Amino acid sequence: MAKTAKKSATIDLGMDDKQRRAIAEGLSRLLADTYTLYLKTHNFHWNVTGPQFNSLHLMFEGQYTELALAVDLIAERIRALGEPAPGSYSAYATLATIAEAKGQPPAEEMVRILAEDQLAVVRTARSIFPLADAAHDEPTADLLTQRMQIHEKTAWMLRATLG
């Protein structure tokens, strides 16, 4: 007689399944925003022109590199919660609050757009906090705190570039 396939292990993280799934859904929105911002920042890195080319090119490179690492951390947290991490452009388009870049704006507009988008990611992260707090999900709260701190600082640096 053939053995039936094993059921996947129950995920008991000390929170109920509804809380766990809601947190993972929130983190999926954060992942979509972060990935969209990564793509936009990388695009601007490639296409920036003008008198500030070198400084903006390097600044954008540092930002998209940090975002590339962040998407992995966020996706891994979703997986640790036992849910699938979204990983397609169509999923990100549905989940993200950040719009894709249209065309190639002037350098100063790129900086302004990225500063606004950094704050949009902060708002998405902040919206997940009540869920993490209610579930006593400290690992997610820690991840959200770190992400918010990085995005707030990056937005400030971008705004400072504008004068």
Side-chain angles (χ1 to χ4, degrees):
M1 233 189 250
K3 282 189 170 184
T4 56
K6 279 187 175 180
K7 287 186 175 184
S8 61
T10 302
I11 299 170
D12 183 2
L13 300 174
M15 64 181 91
D16 68 39
D17 285 345
K18 186 176 178 181
Q19 288 175 311
R20 186 176 52 76
R21 286 189 188 102
I23 293 167
E25 288 171 12
L27 289 171
S28 293
R29 292 189 309 274
L30 181 64
L31 179 60
D33 276 353
T34 303
Y35 197 89
T36 304
L37 181 55
Y38 160 81
L39 188 61
K40 187 183 286 188
T41 305
H42 212 155
N43 173 22
F44 288 174
H45 163 80
W46 290 325
N47 292 297
V48 67
T49 59
Q52 290 185 295
F53 166 79
N54 193 51
S55 61
L56 292 178
H57 184 75
L58 292 173
M59 181 192 300
F60 295 163
E61 182 177 13
Q63 291 171 6
Y64 78 70
T65 300
E66 192 284 323
L67 291 163
L69 296 172
V71 296
D72 198 49
L73 293 172
I74 297 164
E76 287 175 354
R77 182 65 193 147
I78 295 166
R79 294 299 298 137
L81 290 168
E83 297 299 317
S88 68
Y89 290 121
S90 61
Y92 294 151
T94 301
L95 293 166
T97 64
I98 295 174
E100 288 184 326
K102 303 288 186 212
Q104 302 306 322
E108 188 171 304
E109 182 67 6
M110 288 178 175
V111 172
R112 187 192 63 71
I113 290 167
L114 292 178
E116 289 175 6
D117 288 349
Q118 291 283 341
L119 294 177
V121 177
V122 170
R123 290 188 298 273
T124 299
R126 192 176 309 279
S127 74
I128 305 163
F129 256 104
L131 301 171
D133 284 345
H136 304 287
D137 182 0
E138 286 81 6
T140 297
D142 183 53
L143 174 65
L144 295 171
T145 300
Q146 291 177 37
R147 296 310 315 149
M148 289 170 57
Q149 185 177 32
I150 290 166
H151 290 290
E152 287 175 359
K153 182 176 181 180
T154 303
W156 158 61
M157 291 183 167
L158 288 162
R159 288 190 313 269
T161 302
L162 295 172

